[in-house]
Amino acid sequence: MAPRIAATAAEAVANIHDGATVMIGGFGNAGQPMELIDALLDCGASNLTVVNNNAGQADAGLALLIKERRVSKVICSFPRQSDSWHFDEAYRAGELELELVPQGNLAERIRAAGAGIGGFFTPTGYGTMLAEGKETRMIDGRGYVLETPIHAEFALIKALRADTLGNLVYRKTARNFGPIMATAAKQSIVQVDEIVAPGSLDPENVITPGIFIDTLVTIGDTNS
Amino acid sequence: MAPRIAATAAEAVANIHDGATVMIGGFGNAGQPMELIDALLDCGASNLTVVNNNAGQADAGLALLIKERRVSKVICSFPRQSDSWHFDEAYRAGELELELVPQGNLAERIRAAGAGIGGFFTPTGYGTMLAEGKETRMIDGRGYVLETPIHAEFALIKALRADTLGNLVYRKTARNFGPIMATAAKQSIVQVDEIVAPGSLDPENVITPGIFIDTLVTIGDTNS
Amino acid sequence: MSTFTTTDAALTRDEMAKIVAVDIPAGAFVNLGIGQPTNVSNFLTSEQGVTLHTENGMLGMGPVATGDEIDGDLINAGKIPVTELPGASYFHQADSFAMMRGGHLDVCVLGAFQVSGGGDLANWHTGAPGAIPAVGGAMDLAIGAKSTWVMMGLFTKAGESKLVETLSYPVTGLGCVSRIYTESAIFDLADNKVTVRSTHGISFDELVARLPVDLHKA
Amino acid sequence: MSTFTTTDAALTRDEMAKIVAVDIPAGAFVNLGIGQPTNVSNFLTSEQGVTLHTENGMLGMGPVATGDEIDGDLINAGKIPVTELPGASYFHQADSFAMMRGGHLDVCVLGAFQVSGGGDLANWHTGAPGAIPAVGGAMDLAIGAKSTWVMMGLFTKAGESKLVETLSYPVTGLGCVSRIYTESAIFDLADNKVTVRSTHGISFDELVARLPVDLHKA
């Protein structure tokens, strides 16, 4: 199904409900779908599980969702930063569950969900605290940990450009988690700088095929 | 290390030795590195294990390697075709071992090798002859089979264009196995229509980063 | 209210393909396998906005290429030259099969040797002694799509039903088929129950007499 | 023939970075983590043809961006704006970490809290009560590259050796470190044997006296 084209970010995220698992793209500010996150803040959904590389910075975006106690669990690799004060406070208060995952395992678990893989053995994290309680196995003399897919109901993604069929291209290191989160969520919601006609994107250069995309919204050119 | 640029296909494959495991890209003729395969035939290496989607067609390429009994084992998904007579004969004569793998598991096992994954649970093949003897597991009520990575010493790949750093772009459905085989082999040998200077390929559109490529050879424009 | 229908004549291959095409939801992402099911594409309308996937690495596949359109680098899973439509995309084999295995395709239409009442599919191997096996993407297609439909003749040349209680041919996928289109009848499979949606050139009672599975009328 | 060398003064941070840079083989693909090791890039020569990887999704990373070059969409793993060199490429997170985990990078240079004589690395978590843990790509970097090198101060502020018999900090990766660069000495680690390649501002004998692991002179 060709994606719905929402008129506003608010309309794009309107289906996100209490208790949903929401993947949010971005590494630092690059690729962070800030307008969609702001709309999620406005829409009022709570008790969210958020999958993101980080856990919010300063007083914006995901950090505000956490400040408002709308997030009950964060699955991420790097929550603690110099300006992650809202995460730090909620976590220390015991009001926010944290599942800490090495970044590559986070990425591979998201990919596995999108790719229909039931689990995989990874050497990353073997012998560490983060493998405690997980199944391990020696394969050809090396230790591996069994990791499981991370599925989500929604993904919020920022791309550079989409065609009306949902095919996406990204920009530089802002690509990061977008392509894999788009495959792992039941509904992928994407903010782009512009939406173009089918045939405007070279089929060789499409990074995310439109099959993975459910909703598009144009946010104007946020890169310049 | 920037790839070696070989003057001829013969020079490109000269390191391939008896007993080597060689991945060969292509699906049908699309993406098949025909000149590299011919050079492999000429170089005389024998007792090869070949990983390919098929097992040769008619009287060319991989089929001739099999005819000459240079291949002791084929790992593939679809050996039997109307014109796979050399495979058929060698197989029926018991002179060629066959490991038959569903196409998606073949692709994912090749990717796993390149990605450092020790094994993965896939639903494909569960409950079938091709899962016999393999570890299985029920995950969330669904049956999965544990599949293992397929590594190789060499990969023979056809791409459209390379820069001198080995960055590759492909053409249409000829992309098929090239990008994953490049990651799974210790030495990836690529035939291209042309080699261009660094900076000539848009970094957004590179499909195979040069880190995976060891040898390049120009074979002229084989597409027109 | 019964939705059961019947026609006097058995369906031709084109009629079967047309019915499958009509049943495909608007906007669906579809894989038509190889062989007979690919004929369905000839009956899809542009209003349906269906996107075709070919597992060798493409979404947005167009019709079979002819004349100057033929390009050896642009083929379908049956290795037949095809065309690309505006909005197409190319991807490698691992991404293509991840798309299938991950449940992103809406419908996959396949041929079959046999289907069991429980939806088990056999379509990759006759199991005959000396037969050289070849599987390709059959097992991935069988279990990957949200819905797997089969198009096949209902009876063997010897007149035996190919809708069976238990497969005698080697399994391709377990419990994966949800609909079977044949020249004589169309079946919906769900929860180990086989519902006959329509019969063609055969009555429901004759069908009950000839098939080894319990049948329900729609 | 001994290859052991010594200097009177401890190495400065820049001197350490320069030695690391010289040790990186020509044409290598390298990840310099975040913090102190990124300084190594300032001492790589263009003749070396080293390609830098940043795990947020890029090969061919150039120097830190300044002025008009600064682009919020082009940052390194430390979230610092950088530039791209001709021949660069971008890829997503799963591909980037597949590249690391699959052993395609030649060298990764990391900071550390502790390294054991067997090459175990601790650099992600102090283990202090109440500390909020954050791991990022540390565990992937530790075990992914063909060679993992550490740059660190050899002693804590309290004067304790950070080259230890057994880690007291939480593990990042087991048996992964093959070389340690410190202000006081450079160590090669292999097969549970620690070889001192050079000393700086300290004698080999003093080093033996202060470190809790068996040391061999190169």
Side-chain angles (χ1 to χ4, degrees):
Chain A
M1 188 72 78
R4 176 175 69 118
I5 297 184
T8 63
E11 190 186 314
V13 304
N15 293 334
I16 301 182
H17 51 79
D18 290 358
T21 295
V22 183
M23 293 180 168
I24 303 179
F27 178 89
N29 286 323
Q32 193 172 183
M34 193 59 84
E35 285 76 6
L36 290 176
I37 303 171
D38 287 346
L40 178 57
L41 191 66
D42 293 340
C43 92
S46 66
N47 192 27
L48 301 171
T49 294
V50 168
V51 183
N52 182 252
N53 190 61
N54 305 109
Q57 296 175 260
D59 288 292
L62 177 52
L64 291 182
L65 276 174
I66 290 170
K67 179 188 180 194
E68 300 294 333
R69 298 296 187 269
R70 305 267 294 284
V71 180
S72 53
K73 181 176 178 181
V74 171
I75 303 175
C76 75
S77 87
F78 208 77
R80 188 204 59 220
Q81 299 185 255
S82 59
D83 55 357
S84 60
W85 44 75
H86 292 305
F87 169 83
D88 297 4
E89 188 189 317
Y91 179 76
R92 290 195 198 283
E95 293 169 358
L96 180 58
E97 184 184 350
L98 170 66
E99 181 177 345
L100 189 70
V101 185
Q103 194 172 338
N105 288 356
L106 182 66
E108 190 71 9
R109 292 175 66 186
I110 294 168
R111 178 195 178 268
I117 297 297
F120 58 90
F121 286 101
T122 171
T124 303
Y126 178 79
T128 75
M129 273 172 54
L130 299 186
E132 279 170 18
K134 297 190 174 184
E135 182 176 335
T136 60
R137 185 177 297 204
M138 296 304 290
I139 301 172
D140 293 335
R142 188 171 198 194
Y144 289 80
V145 185
L146 182 66
E147 291 282 1
T148 56
I150 302 175
H151 294 271
E153 285 152 291
F154 300 94
L156 305 184
I157 292 165
K158 180 181 174 183
L160 174 64
R161 191 177 293 121
D163 68 19
T164 54
L165 301 177
N167 292 305
L168 303 181
V169 294
Y170 301 82
R171 190 164 175 276
K172 302 191 185 283
T173 58
R175 186 183 300 189
N176 57 64
F177 284 92
I180 50 173
M181 287 182 170
T183 71
K186 286 203 190 80
Q187 290 187 46
S188 294
I189 303 166
V190 186
Q191 68 172 69
V192 292
D193 287 1
E194 60 169 338
I195 299 175
V196 298
S200 304
L201 300 178
D202 185 338
E204 302 283 1
N205 302 339
V206 168
I207 302 301
T208 294
I211 190 171
F212 298 116
I213 304 306
D214 300 273
T215 301
L216 293 173
V217 62
T218 307
I219 305 287
D221 184 353
T222 55
N223 292 309
S224 63
Chain B
M1 187 73 77
R4 176 175 69 117
I5 297 184
T8 62
E11 190 186 314
V13 304
N15 292 334
I16 302 182
H17 50 79
D18 290 358
T21 296
V22 184
M23 293 180 169
I24 303 180
F27 179 90
N29 286 323
Q32 191 171 183
M34 193 58 85
E35 285 76 7
L36 290 176
I37 302 171
D38 287 346
L40 178 57
L41 191 66
D42 292 341
C43 92
S46 66
N47 192 26
L48 301 171
T49 294
V50 168
V51 183
N52 181 251
N53 190 60
N54 304 108
Q57 297 175 261
D59 288 292
L62 177 52
L64 291 182
L65 276 174
I66 290 170
K67 178 188 181 194
E68 301 294 334
R69 298 297 186 271
R70 304 268 294 284
V71 180
S72 54
K73 180 177 179 182
V74 172
I75 304 175
C76 75
S77 86
F78 207 79
R80 186 202 61 218
Q81 299 185 257
S82 59
D83 55 357
S84 60
W85 45 73
H86 292 306
F87 170 83
D88 298 4
E89 189 189 316
Y91 179 76
R92 290 194 199 284
E95 292 169 0
L96 180 58
E97 185 186 349
L98 170 65
E99 181 178 345
L100 190 69
V101 184
Q103 194 171 336
N105 289 355
L106 182 67
E108 190 71 9
R109 291 175 66 185
I110 294 167
R111 180 198 177 266
I117 297 297
F120 58 91
F121 285 102
T122 171
T124 302
Y126 179 80
T128 76
M129 274 172 52
L130 299 186
E132 280 171 17
K134 296 189 174 182
E135 182 177 336
T136 61
R137 185 176 297 205
M138 297 303 292
I139 301 172
D140 294 334
R142 189 171 198 196
Y144 289 79
V145 185
L146 182 66
E147 291 282 2
T148 55
I150 301 175
H151 294 270
E153 284 152 291
F154 299 94
L156 305 184
I157 293 166
K158 181 182 174 181
L160 173 65
R161 191 176 294 120
D163 68 18
T164 54
L165 300 177
N167 292 304
L168 303 181
V169 294
Y170 300 83
R171 189 164 175 277
K172 303 190 184 283
T173 58
R175 187 184 300 191
N176 57 64
F177 284 91
I180 51 173
M181 287 182 171
T183 71
K186 286 203 189 80
Q187 290 188 45
S188 294
I189 303 165
V190 185
Q191 67 172 69
V192 293
D193 287 1
E194 59 170 338
I195 299 175
V196 299
S200 305
L201 301 178
D202 185 339
E204 302 283 1
N205 302 340
V206 169
I207 302 300
T208 294
I211 190 171
F212 298 115
I213 304 306
D214 301 273
T215 300
L216 293 172
V217 62
T218 306
I219 305 285
D221 186 352
T222 56
N223 291 310
S224 63
Chain C
M1 186 191 77
S2 171
T3 58
F4 178 82
T5 60
T6 188
T7 63
D8 288 344
L11 298 174
T12 64
R13 291 198 159 209
D14 276 357
E15 285 168 339
M16 281 168 63
K18 189 171 181 182
I19 294 172
V20 174
V22 168
D23 285 352
I24 291 175
F29 292 91
V30 177
N31 185 302
L32 296 176
I34 58 174
Q36 186 184 346
T38 60
N39 188 27
V40 171
S41 67
N42 296 319
F43 298 95
L44 291 167
T45 65
S46 58
E47 293 72 40
Q48 279 182 283
V50 166
T51 303
L52 295 181
H53 173 262
T54 182
E55 62 264 34
N56 51 315
M58 182 188 194
L59 270 172
M61 180 173 64
V64 166
T66 56
D68 287 349
E69 293 171 339
I70 292 173
D71 179 336
D73 284 345
L74 180 46
I75 60 175
N76 67 13
K79 293 166 187 163
I80 294 166
V82 292
T83 52
E84 82 182 23
L85 297 178
S89 55
Y90 296 104
F91 28 83
H92 63 56
Q93 286 292 285
D95 280 350
S96 185
F97 281 82
M99 198 179 282
M100 293 157 66
R101 197 193 306 108
H104 302 285
L105 295 177
D106 296 294
V107 178
C108 176
V109 189
L110 298 169
F113 298 143
Q114 288 181 330
V115 180
S116 80
D120 298 344
L121 171 68
N123 74 347
W124 76 281
H125 189 19
T126 62
I132 295 176
V135 63
M139 291 181 179
D140 302 275
L141 288 163
I143 59 94
K146 293 190 183 90
S147 300
T148 300
W149 299 349
V150 159
M151 292 176 78
M152 67 177 186
L154 184 53
F155 301 103
T156 65
K157 283 174 188 166
E160 289 173 348
S161 173
K162 290 158 76 174
L163 174 53
V164 297
E165 200 175 358
T166 307
L167 300 180
S168 60
Y169 285 114
V171 175
T172 305
L174 296 175
C176 54
V177 177
S178 60
R179 194 174 291 162
I180 310 172
Y181 297 85
T182 75
E183 77 295 339
S184 301
I186 298 173
F187 305 89
D188 283 326
L189 278 59
D191 306 322
N192 274 299
K193 181 178 160 186
V194 180
T195 304
V196 181
R197 191 172 102 176
S198 61
T199 60
H200 307 278
I202 190 171
S203 71
F204 179 79
D205 290 344
E206 281 177 276
L207 208 59
V208 167
R210 289 191 64 183
L211 302 194
V213 297
D214 285 340
L215 299 178
H216 300 78
K217 210 167 181 172
Chain D
M1 187 190 76
S2 172
T3 58
F4 177 82
T5 60
T6 187
T7 62
D8 288 344
L11 299 173
T12 65
R13 290 197 160 210
D14 277 357
E15 286 168 337
M16 281 169 63
K18 189 171 181 183
I19 294 172
V20 174
V22 168
D23 285 351
I24 291 176
F29 292 91
V30 177
N31 185 303
L32 295 175
I34 58 175
Q36 187 185 349
T38 61
N39 188 26
V40 171
S41 67
N42 296 320
F43 298 95
L44 291 168
T45 65
S46 58
E47 293 73 39
Q48 279 182 283
V50 166
T51 303
L52 295 181
H53 173 263
T54 182
E55 63 263 35
N56 50 318
M58 182 187 195
L59 271 173
M61 180 172 65
V64 166
T66 56
D68 288 349
E69 293 171 338
I70 292 172
D71 179 336
D73 284 345
L74 180 45
I75 60 175
N76 67 12
K79 293 167 188 163
I80 293 166
V82 292
T83 51
E84 82 182 23
L85 297 179
S89 55
Y90 297 104
F91 28 82
H92 63 57
Q93 285 292 287
D95 280 350
S96 185
F97 281 81
M99 198 179 282
M100 293 156 66
R101 198 193 306 109
H104 303 285
L105 295 177
D106 297 295
V107 178
C108 175
V109 189
L110 299 169
F113 297 144
Q114 288 181 330
V115 180
S116 80
D120 299 344
L121 172 67
N123 74 348
W124 76 282
H125 189 20
T126 61
I132 295 177
V135 63
M139 291 182 181
D140 302 275
L141 288 163
I143 59 93
K146 293 190 184 89
S147 299
T148 299
W149 298 348
V150 159
M151 292 176 78
M152 66 176 187
L154 185 53
F155 301 103
T156 65
K157 282 175 189 167
E160 289 174 350
S161 173
K162 291 158 76 173
L163 174 53
V164 296
E165 201 174 358
T166 307
L167 301 180
S168 60
Y169 285 115
V171 175
T172 305
L174 296 175
C176 55
V177 177
S178 60
R179 195 175 291 163
I180 310 171
Y181 297 85
T182 75
E183 77 295 337
S184 301
I186 299 173
F187 305 88
D188 283 326
L189 279 59
D191 306 321
N192 274 300
K193 182 177 158 185
V194 180
T195 304
V196 181
R197 194 174 96 175
S198 60
T199 60
H200 308 278
I202 190 170
S203 72
F204 179 79
D205 291 342
E206 283 178 274
L207 209 58
V208 167
R210 289 192 64 182
L211 301 195
V213 297
D214 285 341
L215 299 178
H216 300 78
K217 210 168 180 173

